[in-house]
Amino acid sequence: VLKPRRVSWVSLTVIDASGNPLSDVSATLTTPAEAVSGAATSEGERIELGPIGEGDALLRVTAPGFRPRSRPIALAGGTTEI
C-alpha cells in the first residue's frame, strides 16, 4: 500500500542586519534525502522552496557582499515562513 508523502514548503524573505530586504539572494534547503533551491532577484521578493519531505533540514542562504548563512529547520508538513 502506498502512503502519500507529506511535504513541506519554506517561504522566506532575506533581510540585512538593519531589516532591509536584499536582492540577488540564493537559498538551498537540504535534507539527508533531497535538496531544493530558489532565488530572489529583486528586493523583498519571497523565495519559495519546496516541495520537500518532512524532517530535519539545513537552510543555506547566500547574497553578494554578505557571508553565507546556514540554519537548521524542522520541517513538519505545510508551509513554514521565515
Side-chain angles (χ1 to χ4, degrees):
V1 173
L2 290 175
K3 286 176 66 176
R5 179 178 90 144
R6 287 188 43 127
V7 297
S8 298
W9 289 82
V10 172
S11 176
L12 65 132
T13 300
V14 180
I15 58 174
D16 65 15
S18 298
N20 300 309
L22 300 180
S23 60
D24 299 321
V25 177
S26 297
T28 302
L29 188 60
T30 307
T31 69
E34 59 191 316
V36 294
S37 297
T41 57
S42 61
E43 285 183 12
E45 183 179 355
R46 291 195 73 72
I47 301 173
E48 305 288 335
L49 300 172
I52 193 165
E54 293 182 302
D56 293 330
L58 182 67
L59 174 64
R60 180 174 169 82
V61 177
T62 59
F66 294 88
R67 291 183 310 217
R69 298 290 302 253
S70 296
R71 171 181 168 177
I73 297 177
L75 303 172
T79 300
T80 301
E81 292 196 24
I82 299 173

